[in-house]
Amino acid sequence: MTSPDLPAELKAALDGKLRGFSRNDAAGRAASISKTYRDGGGSGAIRSETDALAYALARMPATYAAVTASLNALVEVRPDFAPKNLLDVGAGPGTATWAAAEAFPSLRDFSLLDANEALRTLALDLARDSTRLHGIGYERGEARATLTKAGTTDLVVASYMIGEIGDAEQRALAELMWEKTRDTLLVIEPGTPAGYARIIALRERLIALGAHIAAPCPHDGKCPLQTPDWCHFTQRLQRSRAHKQVKGAELPFEDEKFAYVALTRSPLAERPSRVLAQPVVTKVEITAKLCTPNGLALTKVPRRAKADYSSARRWRWGDAVN
Ligand SMILES: C[S@@+](CC[C@H](N)C(=O)[O-])C[C@H]1O[C@@H](n2cnc3c(N)ncnc32)[C@H](O)[C@@H]1O
């Protein structure tokens, strides 16, 4: 399992970029970019080098943690998957590329694309001294137009990206990303009801085109959750000093909520159930909300079933369990 915290090379590159920048300026820009996101805007507010760095300092640790958690779930159900190349759609500062490089030592070739020049420049700067990533290819352009020209790739990732485009555009982009996927497509969104709704719409569309789910769902059927419930997970990550300063935060950690789906060309032989919330442990029993191959289940494991109880005590929200 890969750590959810930024790798040392990336931390060092971000610290290096931060030298010569005022942390107060970066904090001011990060607050204004966050407000744009909260008000439903996208990365269009990121225009300058300071904006891009402020975005990366404030958001990259959390989106990195969410991508890593999703990749860990994928690796757990597909331990033999060894992609050679990666396509990172809406790559921004290169977050998902860094996470995929950590998760898959097999990756040799990294292609990124994004419409935002300031984020592209930052991504190339951050990767410049990296052993694995110094040779990344990064195209600047609108996703669909750029993807149309791309070849097929073992692993395609779109992290916190599809929420920035309209519904019709999301449908077209989903199909195009799938067309360019040789093996696995991973899409990650914020863990809000709206992020989940986008994941579900993409999931249904691509299953209709022949995709199979590797994670988190243990089936290719309709999602059994009913509104107002929604499928999402959470990943804790440590905050560095710079991260705390830029966010004006006191706590040394934060919990990122995310929703994701990993779709593959071939069905998995076996799919474990998924823990959908933190299980409730009492002295009498453990109650766990599971998504199983047969639908939703509120599983109770009594203390008297000693072996089962002791393994269920280790279950965490997001785990794959049998
Ligand atoms: C919230 S950022 C996420 C960046 C990165 N994937 C991450 O996880 O940190 C969304 C990214 O999608 C890019 N984006 C949004 N719409 C796009 C489009 N139509 N074509 C290309 N890039 C787009 C933005 O420029 C931005 O870099």
Side-chain angles (χ1 to χ4, degrees), residues 267-284:
L268 268 63
E270 270 181 50
R271 286 185 280 197
S273 298
R274 185 74 49 186
V275 182
L276 292 189
Q278 191 54 36
V280 178
V281 180
T282 67
K283 284 186 180 148
V284 182

Side-chain angles (χ1 to χ4, degrees), residues 37 43 55 63 90-92 95 114-116 119 141-143 159-161 164:
Y37 274 112
S43 315
Y55 170 80
T63 57
T95 324
D114 202 290
N116 188 307
L119 287 169
E142 199 285 318
S159 150
Y160 288 77
M161 188 270 174
E164 296 209 354

Side-chain angles (χ1 to χ4, degrees), residues 174-198:
E175 288 179 15
L176 191 53
M177 289 194 294
W178 183 240
E179 194 185 307
K180 300 296 175 181
T181 301
R182 199 174 299 135
D183 191 299
T184 299
L185 168 65
L186 173 64
V187 181
I188 305 124
E189 281 291 288
T192 56
Y196 161 73
R198 288 191 287 273

Side-chain angles (χ1 to χ4, degrees), residues 6-136:
L6 298 183
E9 268 187 346
L10 177 54
K11 267 191 216 143
L14 277 168
D15 285 348
K17 289 289 301 173
L18 198 55
R19 279 193 282 278
F21 273 93
S22 143
R23 288 191 187 191
N24 283 342
D25 281 358
R29 286 307 299 149
S32 133
I33 291 164
S34 297
K35 182 174 181 321
T36 307
Y37 274 112
R38 277 197 305 276
D39 295 346
S43 315
I46 302 169
R47 292 195 195 94
S48 67
E49 200 182 347
T50 314
D51 292 344
L53 185 61
Y55 170 80
L57 286 167
R59 286 298 294 152
M60 212 175 172
T63 57
Y64 179 92
V67 179
T68 297
S70 313
L71 287 168
N72 280 339
L74 171 64
V75 169
E76 191 178 5
V77 293
R78 295 207 47 213
D80 299 337
F81 182 40
K84 290 197 175 55
N85 42 34
L86 169 83
L87 177 59
D88 185 353
V89 181
T95 324
T97 296
W98 281 89
E102 288 292 308
F104 294 110
S106 56
L107 280 171
R108 293 281 170 269
D109 186 42
F110 302 88
S111 303
L112 296 79
L113 72 89
D114 202 290
N116 188 307
E117 182 54 27
L119 287 169
R120 176 181 174 276
T121 304
L122 175 64
L124 291 170
D125 270 1
L126 294 176
R128 181 168 304 126
D129 296 328
S130 156
T131 8
R132 301 270 307 284
L133 300 179
H134 64 271
I136 57 172

Side-chain angles (χ1 to χ4, degrees), residues 275 277-290 297-317 319 321:
V275 182
Q278 191 54 36
V280 178
V281 180
T282 67
K283 284 186 180 148
V284 182
E285 63 190 6
I286 294 170
T287 308
K289 180 183 172 189
L290 301 181
L298 207 57
T299 299
K300 289 186 184 295
V301 185
R303 192 183 186 114
R304 66 187 136 70
K306 274 193 173 163
D308 291 347
Y309 184 89
S310 104
S311 73
R313 269 191 83 94
R314 290 191 290 274
W315 290 357
R316 296 286 173 269
W317 185 0
D319 282 358
V321 299

